[in-house]
Amino acid sequence: MEKRLPPVIIDTDPGIDDAASIFWVLASEKFDVKALTIANGNIGLDGCVTNALRILEVAGRTDVPVYRGAYRPILKGPMDASWVHGKDGLGDAGLPMPTAKETPGYGPAEMARIVRESPEPVTILALAPLTNVALAILLDPEMKKNVKEILFMGGAVNVIGNDTPVASFNAAVDPEATYIVYNSGIPVVQLGLDICDQFTETDADFERLRDEGGPIGGYLYTMTEDWRKRSSMREPSRWYKSRQDGIGLNDVATTAYLINPDWFTCEDVACDIQLGGIGAGQTVVDFRGWWKKEPNVRFAYEVDSAAAVRQWMDDIIRYDHRQ
Ligand code: RIB
Ligand code: CA
């Protein structure tokens, strides 16, 4: 009998690092990807939907449905990080426009439906602001019964933020959604900047993908070309993570946990979200137990990033050469 693969929903705002992660999940061939649900984040919602379809088409997986989600965070206005990801959100690298269409349906409702109907608990790989995930939780009180875990690319505990001094982009864009998810009772693994900052994908890694891979490897090289050239990201700083020999694809670091959690060292902690003021979106951990609260989050703080990056490249190169 054919073995059933573990079900996964990817909530995403593609985004170069989202693309690199979606390619990895598909290339690993270890998961049943039930859907991509799309959030506003790196660029506007329309662009993110188009990019999800482009990514699936390059990967030859137009069978995976793409559902449009919320067009803006719960309280804040729509966000945009095209200064990192390029005007089209995928590095303006000429990825072909999609021929496939998005699937009718509303992202959070479809997420809740897929979870409800699944014969086994579903993992949510959350690579964007948590708006869609929070709305799904609010839509369906049954949701928490059948989610295995939410793997979140967000949070900054012992490192500096990348959107505000204390918050990661995905948490700062929608602090209210982050609060809802972290306090939902669903197991959350925070795979935020504490581990993302330990990752570097070097120029040599991208050359290897281009030279040994196929279409996906080639696009990963061209998509990141402009980002890799930006000298400001390469100036050494003692205060925040800068990289002299490459870039850090944050969503790939988070996806590494889905591929192999054994690469990570984690601690279960009580964690809450700052909702207003200059600290909005900060993930605050009570390491000393002052709050007398049970742990609600598995906090990842160390990772064997070299092993993860090697596997990311190996999987993509192998998939690029599949028959
Ligand atoms: O902090 C980086 C994160 O924000 C990544 O998920 C990136 O794609 C953006 O969503
Ligand atoms: Ca993302």
Side-chain angles (χ1 to χ4, degrees):
M1 205 174 70
E2 213 182 305
K3 200 171 155 257
R4 233 191 350 228
L5 299 175
V8 173
I9 298 171
I10 307 179
D11 190 69
T12 173
D13 59 339
I16 293 171
D17 56 339
D18 298 78
S21 306
I22 295 164
F23 285 141
W24 191 11
V25 178
L26 298 172
S28 77
E29 298 180 293
K30 283 169 64 173
F31 303 96
D32 178 6
V33 180
K34 293 288 184 195
L36 304 189
T37 52
I38 310 303
N40 161 255
N42 286 320
I43 59 169
L45 186 63
D46 287 342
C48 288
V49 170
T50 305
N51 287 349
L53 295 165
R54 293 163 94 190
I55 292 162
L56 291 174
E57 209 141 311
V58 168
R61 288 300 308 274
T62 49
D63 56 302
V64 176
V66 172
Y67 296 110
R68 171 182 297 261
Y71 75 95
R72 49 155 264 207
I74 290 175
L75 288 185
K76 293 181 160 182
M79 292 302 295
D80 181 282
S82 51
W83 60 279
V84 179
H85 296 267
K87 270 207 287 301
D88 78 345
L90 293 178
D92 302 316
L95 246 78
M97 278 305 176
T99 53
K101 298 266 177 277
E102 66 189 270
T103 305
Y106 176 53
E110 296 300 326
M111 184 185 285
R113 177 189 59 75
I114 293 166
V115 168
R116 203 179 328 113
E117 290 175 356
S118 174
E120 53 187 299
V122 178
T123 298
I124 298 176
L125 179 62
L127 304 178
L130 287 168
T131 319
N132 288 336
V133 185
L135 291 173
I137 290 168
L138 296 183
L139 276 175
D140 190 351
E142 298 292 293
M143 176 107 171
K144 66 168 162 239
K145 292 196 188 149
N146 209 24
V147 174
K148 184 174 174 228
E149 8 177 58
I150 295 169
L151 310 182
F152 178 42
M153 193 281 105
V157 178
N158 296 316
V159 296
I160 283 168
N162 67 347
D163 191 54
T164 78
V166 294
S168 71
F169 178 84
N170 285 341
V173 165
D174 200 338
E176 287 71 23
T178 314
Y179 180 90
I180 291 166
V181 171
Y182 274 50
N183 290 288
S184 65
I186 297 175
V188 172
V189 187
Q190 176 171 306
L191 296 140
L193 298 182
D194 295 78
I195 56 104
C196 295
D197 282 2
Q198 295 170 40
F199 274 71
T200 299
E201 288 83 10
T202 64
D203 295 330
D205 292 337
F206 289 103
E207 281 157 19
R208 181 179 166 217
L209 284 165
R210 178 197 59 194
D211 297 344
E212 296 178 27
I216 297 176
Y219 279 126
L220 285 170
Y221 181 88
T222 47
M223 266 195 286
T224 54
E225 225 168 0
D226 186 55
W227 187 349
R228 284 183 284 118
K229 276 190 211 139
R230 245 172 280 145
S231 56
S232 65
M233 304 243 185
R234 298 207 165 198
E235 285 160 19
S237 163
R238 70 187 292 181
W239 301 119
Y240 58 86
K241 177 71 183 174
S242 62
R243 296 166 175 88
Q244 281 77 68
D245 54 347
I247 56 175
L249 297 171
N250 288 347
D251 289 342
V252 169
T254 304
T255 302
Y257 188 93
L258 177 74
I259 304 287
N260 183 1
D262 293 344
W263 288 324
F264 291 79
T265 313
C266 305
E267 184 167 324
D268 291 343
V269 297
C271 179
D272 221 330
I273 311 302
Q274 188 72 30
L275 285 179
I278 56 171
Q282 183 179 12
T283 49
V284 182
V285 170
D286 179 20
F287 286 114
R288 297 189 67 172
W290 280 302
W291 300 339
K292 313 251 175 292
K293 254 181 73 178
E294 287 300 310
N296 57 329
V297 165
R298 181 155 293 179
F299 165 53
Y301 62 93
E302 251 170 43
V303 59
D304 182 350
S305 57
V309 172
R310 209 176 314 118
Q311 188 72 51
W312 171 66
M313 290 187 286
D314 289 350
D315 282 348
I316 283 169
I317 291 167
R318 184 183 30 76
Y319 187 75
D320 255 343
H321 291 292
R322 71 198 181 281
Q323 292 309 314

